[in-house]
Amino acid sequence: MERVMKGVKRLLGEVDIAGDKSVSHRAIMTNAIADGDAKITNFLSGEDCISTLNIFRSLGVDISVFGKEVIVRGRGMRGLRAFNGVLNAGNSGTTTRLLSGILAPQSFESAIDGDDSLRLRPMKRVIEPLSLMGARIEASGGNFLPLKIYGRRLHGIEYDMPMASAQVKSAIIYASLYADSESVITEKVKSRDHTEIMLKSMGADIEEKDNVITVRPIEKLVARDVRVPGDISSAAYFLVAGAIAPNSEITVKNVGLNPTRAGIISVMRRMGADISVEEYASGGERAGDITVRSSELSGTVICGDEIPTLIDELPIIAVLACMAKGVTVVKDAAELKVKETDRIDTVYRMITALGGKIEKTDDGFIIEGTGELSGARVESFKDHRIAMSAAVASLVASGETVIADAECVDISFPEFYNILGGLHE
Ligand code: S3P
C-alpha cells in the first residue's frame, strides 16, 4: 500500500504511545517459563510481538488477549511443550534470538523460521555463545534461518560480547538460567537491560556490576504482572515531528525512560531541542511524559557508548539532522547494517530521495543540514522505521511525499498514521 502525505502548518496535542516492543516480547517469554499467572497491560499488539505470542501458544502456553491486556498462564521453566512444526518468527529478530536462548536448554527439538528479511539477518551471533554452552543448533550456512535447535543440557560460560546486542545478551541470560553452573557476560558497551530488570523482579539470581552480568542457574521463576511503558522508539517519531514542524507542541505520555534506551533525549537536547521530561515513579521500568516544542536545531556528533541507547532511532535522527543547521555525524553504528534492512543504506536512500544531503560511511552517515526537504516517492524497503521516518519528514517537506509499502509500520506501531493524523490542525 502506498501512502500519500503532505506538509503541515503545525502539530498540536497529546499522544498515548503504544507499548514498548522490547518489554512486550520479554513479558510474554519470561512469564511463559514462570510459575503462575501474570497480567500484562499496555501490551504492544504489533506484528513482531504477535509472532512471539503465537510461538509461545504453539509451545503449549495458555495466553488470552483482551485488547492491550494479555494473561499468560506460565508453565514453569520445564513446562514448555515441543511443537511439531516450524515456529514462525515473521520479521522479528528479537523473537528469534531470545527464543533460541530459551529453546536451547529444553528437552525437545524445535525449528524456527521467518520472513525474507529475517532470513538475511545473522544468527551466528547467538549460535556461537549458545554452542559454547553446549547447545546444538543448525542454521542455513551456519548463520541464517531456518534454525533447528536440539535441546541439550547446558553449562555456564564466561563470554565477552563482541558487539553491543541486547538480543544476544538476553539469549545467553535465558539459557544461563537453565545451565549447571554460573555464567559471566561482559559487555564493552551497555545494551538495553529489560531482560535483567524483568528476570530479577521474577526471582532470577542476576548480578550486574559495571558492564559485567553474572547469572546463576535457578529452578523456578515467579510470574509477575507487567505494566509495559510506552515505547521510546515509537515516541521518537513524535518528538522529532514536534521539534521540526513549525509552531508545534506535542506531549507524549507514559514513555519508557530506561537510560539504556533514552539516548534520543540527550541527542535532541544537545541539538537544541526544546524538550522537557516529567518522570514519575512507576516501579520496574522508569517512565514519564515528554513535551517537545518547535526548535532551532544544530548538528552534533553521535558515537561510542551512546549508539546502543538510540540504535533504532537513527533513521528518525537522520530526518532531524536534515532540519538542523550544520553537520551531524553518526559513527560507531555498523550494527545498523544488520537491522530489518541495512539501515546505513536505506537511511541514505530515504534522505537522498527527499533531497537531503547525506553521505554514507562504513559505520554510519554524515548529514549536512539544509533545513529543507522536498516531497518525493520514498521506498520503505518494508522497514517500519524507514516508513515512519519518511512520514515525519513529509510533514516538513515541500509538496507531496509517497511512501511505498507504508503498512509495514504494523510491525511495531499499528496506530502510527492515525495518531499522527490526529495532531494536524
Ligand atoms: C532489541 C535489541 C536491539 C534493537 C531491537 C530490539 C531487543 O537489537 O535494535 O529493535 O529487544 O533486545 P540488537 O540486540 O541486535 O542490538
Side-chain angles (χ1 to χ4, degrees):
M1 177 196 88
E2 281 185 349
R3 193 166 183 110
V4 181
M5 313 253 327
K6 285 196 189 121
V8 290
K9 288 207 186 75
R10 66 192 309 199
L11 295 169
L12 281 183
E14 269 187 17
V15 175
D16 260 321
I17 208 77
D20 188 274
K21 181 156 78 73
S22 294
V23 176
S24 295
H25 281 299
R26 288 157 172 82
I28 298 274
M29 294 185 178
T30 319
N31 278 303
I33 56 167
D35 286 3
D37 297 351
K39 182 164 81 178
I40 305 168
T41 40
N42 200 33
F43 178 76
L44 170 65
S45 297
E47 287 172 4
D48 273 9
C49 297
I50 299 294
S51 295
T52 291
L53 192 150
N54 286 337
I55 284 177
F56 278 85
R57 278 183 172 155
S58 299
L59 293 167
V61 185
D62 182 354
I63 305 175
S64 315
V65 181
F66 310 94
K68 291 181 178 177
E69 201 171 289
V70 175
I71 308 287
V72 180
R73 302 203 162 76
R75 292 188 57 87
M77 287 181 63
R78 302 275 166 197
L80 297 180
R81 281 202 307 256
F83 177 61
N84 187 17
V86 179
L87 301 166
N88 183 3
N91 191 247
S92 176
T94 309
T95 307
T96 312
R97 298 198 177 110
L98 272 58
L99 183 65
S100 302
I102 292 176
L103 292 178
Q106 302 297 330
S107 57
F108 52 81
E109 291 172 18
S110 311
I112 314 176
D113 205 353
D115 70 9
D116 291 345
S117 146
L118 194 58
R119 279 180 163 213
L120 293 173
R121 298 181 67 186
M123 297 300 155
K124 204 177 184 172
R125 50 179 59 202
V126 278
I127 297 172
E128 231 159 48
L130 293 175
S131 302
L132 287 171
M133 297 178 75
R136 188 174 156 219
I137 303 176
E138 283 168 8
S140 172
N143 195 13
F144 301 103
L145 291 178
L147 298 185
K148 188 90 201 268
I149 301 179
Y150 301 88
R152 286 280 171 92
R153 200 151 177 85
L154 304 183
H155 43 82
I157 45 165
E158 279 187 23
Y159 195 70
D160 289 345
M161 294 281 301
M163 76 293 285
S165 166
Q167 296 178 358
V168 175
K169 173 180 67 173
S170 301
I172 305 172
I173 293 176
Y174 279 122
S176 300
L177 300 175
Y178 291 85
D180 57 18
S181 52
E182 78 171 26
S183 295
V184 181
I185 306 159
T186 306
E187 293 188 285
K188 278 191 210 74
V189 180
K190 192 169 167 68
S191 63
R192 65 190 68 188
D193 60 0
H194 306 299
T195 308
E196 295 90 310
I197 291 175
M198 197 176 294
L199 276 170
K200 282 202 277 195
S201 79
M202 294 169 63
D205 186 354
I206 297 179
E207 246 172 65
E208 290 161 275
K209 204 161 175 249
D210 302 323
N211 288 1
V212 181
I213 305 151
T214 305
V215 187
R216 295 188 190 87
I218 46 162
E219 288 303 315
K220 75 172 205 171
L221 291 165
V222 183
R224 187 163 175 123
D225 293 349
V226 179
R227 169 141 196 89
V228 181
D231 197 325
I232 193 164
S233 299
S234 300
Y237 302 100
F238 297 95
L239 300 181
V240 170
I244 63 176
N247 307 312
S248 299
E249 177 170 336
I250 301 176
T251 297
V252 193
K253 311 280 284 179
N254 179 35
V255 185
L257 294 173
N258 181 319
T260 63
R261 294 284 301 283
I264 177 118
I265 298 174
S266 14
V267 164
M268 287 187 71
R269 281 202 173 121
R270 217 157 64 220
M271 292 177 78
D274 180 351
I275 187 168
S276 54
V277 180
E278 202 179 310
E279 185 169 345
Y280 40 74
S282 53
E285 293 279 353
R286 292 166 61 173
D289 300 341
I290 309 178
T291 299
V292 65
R293 293 178 197 88
S294 310
S295 309
E296 292 282 320
L297 302 159
S298 46
T300 188
V301 177
I302 308 170
C303 61
D305 291 9
E306 199 166 36
I307 295 293
T309 70
L310 45 66
I311 187 77
D312 292 341
E313 287 67 82
L314 288 169
I316 188 62
I317 286 174
V319 173
L320 184 71
C322 289
M323 301 307 290
K325 276 206 191 86
V327 175
T328 294
V329 180
V330 173
K331 53 186 181 186
D332 305 323
E335 276 293 304
L336 283 176
K337 292 182 183 164
V338 291
K339 296 298 174 187
E340 286 82 333
T341 56
D342 171 346
R343 285 188 182 149
I344 293 185
D345 189 52
T346 52
V347 165
Y348 169 79
R349 285 168 188 250
M350 167 187 63
I351 296 295
T352 305
L354 291 165
K357 286 197 172 165
I358 180 168
E359 202 184 299
K360 284 199 275 187
T361 63
D362 262 359
D363 63 352
F365 47 81
I366 301 169
I367 290 179
E368 196 187 318
T370 56
E372 39 182 58
L373 291 169
S374 35
R377 188 188 148 80
V378 182
E379 294 300 330
S380 65
F381 308 96
K382 298 188 179 158
D383 182 331
H384 53 135
R385 304 218 183 271
I386 299 294
M388 290 188 276
S389 301
V392 171
S394 77
L395 305 176
V396 294
S398 58
E400 226 172 59
T401 298
V402 179
I403 303 168
D405 298 309
E407 72 284 357
C408 63
V409 306
D410 290 350
I411 292 288
S412 64
F413 198 175
E415 299 146 334
F416 173 73
Y417 296 112
N418 279 346
I419 295 181
L420 192 58
L423 296 172
H424 297 194
E425 278 234 304

